[in-house]
Amino acid sequence: MERAPRVVAFDVIGTVFSLDVLRERLTAAEVPDHALELWFSRSLRDLFALAAAGVHRPFREVLDGNLAVVLDRFGGKRDEAARAHILDGFAALQAHADAGEAFRRLAAAGVRIVALTNGAGPTTETLLKRAGLLDLVEHVVSIDDVGIAKPRREVYHHAAQLAVVPVEDMALVAAHPWDVNGAAEAGLMTAYVARREPYPAFFRKPDVTAPDLDAAVAALIRTGG
Amino acid sequence: MERAPRVVAFDVIGTVFSLDVLRERLTAAEVPDHALELWFSRSLRDLFALAAAGVHRPFREVLDGNLAVVLDRFGGKRDEAARAHILDGFAALQAHADAGEAFRRLAAAGVRIVALTNGAGPTTETLLKRAGLLDLVEHVVSIDDVGIAKPRREVYHHAAQLAVVPVEDMALVAAHPWDVNGAAEAGLMTAYVARREPYPAFFRKPDVTAPDLDAAVAALIRTGG
């Protein structure tokens, strides 16, 4: 990476917004804390299997099918109302504490911001609005707009086209190694937010690794300076 | 599905062979029983993310990276020797009790058999040989031969080309919904072995659903009869 990005795309679920609300709702449905990770891993596995086969389904459908399995596996409450309450938690996620700082740092540096999510567009706009971040975001891009999920390269390329910049002038910030790898394969600069896990060796290395959103953004801008 | 398949492709890990050996080795490494599913879901998630991005890595690399995370998460023994012992369990898997019956039923009906795995070719041959099944298998096809993982359609098409049949004359038998869906998207007939979980609604429906390997094979042949 030789210069600063002109546009920074943020992954949304788990990167800008914390999953804690979902964890709390799972616990309230009487499943253990670690069920969140199994639910998410399974759901992403199936979403990516669809993407690898060239097929798209809304992420909520995939999450719902896997939630039923996970609640069943760990003996949780599994009626439709319990499942709907948990899924509705995606519209109630809280932004990480430094998200506003990171977004404002980019705006001050003249770097444009897009949101690039495997979630639904309207839900993402609601989340960003409630967190006071929507005014700083130029585009909210959902996989439902593209017709295929990240990490297919079409998604990253679509975001760059919307922002009218070459892919190499765009960076992705994500807390998910699979997303960083996909963006790198698609030609973007990348920043990995290392909140909980080391970055695996079988994926392409990020240009920047940082402990939180604001440090990731600062490093992206500094590299170009 | 209007006629019987001329060739049946079997998924290997978890379909023809049980994962119990891995479960035992994880338990011996002092992690809870359910860690197996998290390890596998995460590893497939990452393998499919690579496939969606058009990239290939041997499955063992992806499994190894995720094993370290899972052992760490659940406080298990995590030194390199412990990890290697668990990974070597893939070469020690036991065939499901009815695998021989299913394979012989196909052979008796004049239906040819291939093995189609996300695992490594040499390991798969060793497993089949030890289980007394290798003589009944015409080809062992690994994703390492194709350069991309299932459920990318290239893999299923490669198997049909090797067997010199049109894809619609080949069936896939698998205990994994993502594999059944991928094969269906690629144009194959499909049989789902429903050992533990219901088939999710967001994937394409299998032609046949059966509780075990032999029932799946019997239904595939009967449909065509």
Side-chain angles (χ1 to χ4, degrees):
Chain A
M1 203 176 86
E2 292 168 2
R3 51 182 178 171
R6 291 165 59 195
V7 179
V8 170
F10 285 88
D11 170 61
V12 175
I13 303 169
T15 297
V16 176
F17 292 87
S18 161
L19 299 179
D20 285 346
V21 168
L22 299 173
R23 201 183 305 276
E24 288 158 16
R25 292 190 184 195
L26 281 173
T27 307
E30 296 171 10
V31 297
D33 181 70
H34 60 75
L36 175 67
E37 205 189 346
L38 181 63
W39 177 32
F40 242 72
S41 301
R42 288 178 55 103
S43 300
L44 290 170
R45 174 198 68 187
D46 290 346
L47 186 72
F48 299 169
L50 288 163
V55 181
H56 181 59
R57 297 276 182 280
F59 194 24
R60 187 181 172 110
E61 279 182 34
V62 178
L63 285 160
D64 192 21
N66 278 292
L67 180 57
V69 173
V70 170
L71 292 177
D72 193 56
R73 177 77 37 86
F74 293 108
K77 289 182 197 165
R78 61 192 100 157
D79 57 282
E80 212 169 310
R83 287 218 315 275
H85 178 66
I86 295 168
L87 285 170
D88 289 345
F90 280 96
L93 302 180
Q94 301 293 311
H96 280 290
D98 65 336
E101 204 176 332
F103 279 37
R104 283 188 296 273
R105 182 187 295 275
L106 287 173
V111 179
R112 295 145 60 203
I113 298 171
V114 305
L116 186 54
T117 181
N118 274 350
T123 308
T124 306
E125 288 190 15
T126 303
L127 287 178
L128 289 167
K129 189 165 188 181
R130 192 179 301 133
L133 300 172
L134 189 60
D135 289 346
L136 295 167
V137 174
E138 196 174 283
H139 295 285
V140 174
V141 183
S142 159
I143 56 168
D144 299 334
D145 307 328
V146 187
I148 199 80
K150 292 190 283 183
R152 284 279 292 243
R153 69 185 60 201
E154 293 92 323
V155 182
Y156 307 101
H157 288 185
H158 177 78
Q161 277 163 9
L162 267 182
V164 200
V165 291
V167 287
E168 59 268 24
D169 283 346
M170 179 174 264
L172 178 82
V173 176
H176 311 296
W178 55 262
D179 202 359
V180 168
N181 181 74
E185 289 292 343
L188 281 73
M189 298 175 238
T190 55
Y192 177 56
V193 181
R195 287 224 178 79
R196 304 199 314 172
E197 288 174 17
Y199 193 88
F202 54 79
F203 281 144
R204 284 178 65 146
K205 275 207 173 74
D207 295 306
V208 160
T209 298
D212 57 39
L213 288 170
D214 194 46
V217 161
L220 281 174
I221 297 176
R222 197 164 48 238
T223 309
Chain B
M1 205 176 85
E2 292 168 3
R3 50 182 179 172
R6 291 167 58 194
V7 179
V8 170
F10 285 88
D11 171 61
V12 176
I13 303 169
T15 296
V16 175
F17 292 87
S18 162
L19 299 179
D20 285 347
V21 168
L22 299 173
R23 201 183 305 275
E24 288 157 16
R25 292 191 184 194
L26 280 173
T27 308
E30 297 171 9
V31 298
D33 180 70
H34 59 76
L36 176 67
E37 205 191 347
L38 181 63
W39 177 32
F40 243 72
S41 301
R42 288 178 56 102
S43 299
L44 290 169
R45 174 197 68 187
D46 289 347
L47 187 72
F48 299 169
L50 288 163
V55 181
H56 181 60
R57 297 278 182 278
F59 194 24
R60 188 181 170 111
E61 279 183 34
V62 177
L63 284 161
D64 192 20
N66 279 292
L67 180 57
V69 173
V70 169
L71 291 177
D72 193 57
R73 177 77 38 87
F74 292 107
K77 289 183 198 165
R78 62 192 100 155
D79 57 283
E80 211 169 311
R83 288 217 315 274
H85 178 64
I86 295 168
L87 285 171
D88 290 343
F90 279 96
L93 303 180
Q94 299 294 310
H96 281 290
D98 65 336
E101 205 176 331
F103 279 37
R104 284 189 294 273
R105 183 188 293 275
L106 287 173
V111 179
R112 293 146 60 204
I113 299 171
V114 306
L116 186 55
T117 182
N118 274 351
T123 308
T124 306
E125 287 190 15
T126 303
L127 287 178
L128 289 167
K129 189 165 189 181
R130 193 179 301 133
L133 300 172
L134 188 60
D135 289 346
L136 295 166
V137 174
E138 197 173 283
H139 295 286
V140 173
V141 184
S142 158
I143 56 168
D144 298 334
D145 306 328
V146 187
I148 200 80
K150 292 191 283 182
R152 284 280 292 242
R153 69 185 61 200
E154 293 91 323
V155 182
Y156 307 101
H157 288 185
H158 177 77
Q161 277 163 10
L162 267 183
V164 200
V165 291
V167 286
E168 59 268 24
D169 283 344
M170 181 174 262
L172 178 82
V173 175
H176 312 295
W178 54 263
D179 202 359
V180 168
N181 181 75
E185 289 291 342
L188 281 73
M189 298 176 237
T190 55
Y192 176 55
V193 182
R195 287 225 178 79
R196 305 200 314 173
E197 288 174 15
Y199 193 89
F202 52 78
F203 280 144
R204 283 178 66 145
K205 275 208 173 71
D207 295 306
V208 161
T209 298
D212 57 40
L213 289 171
D214 194 46
V217 160
L220 281 173
I221 297 177
R222 197 163 49 238
T223 310

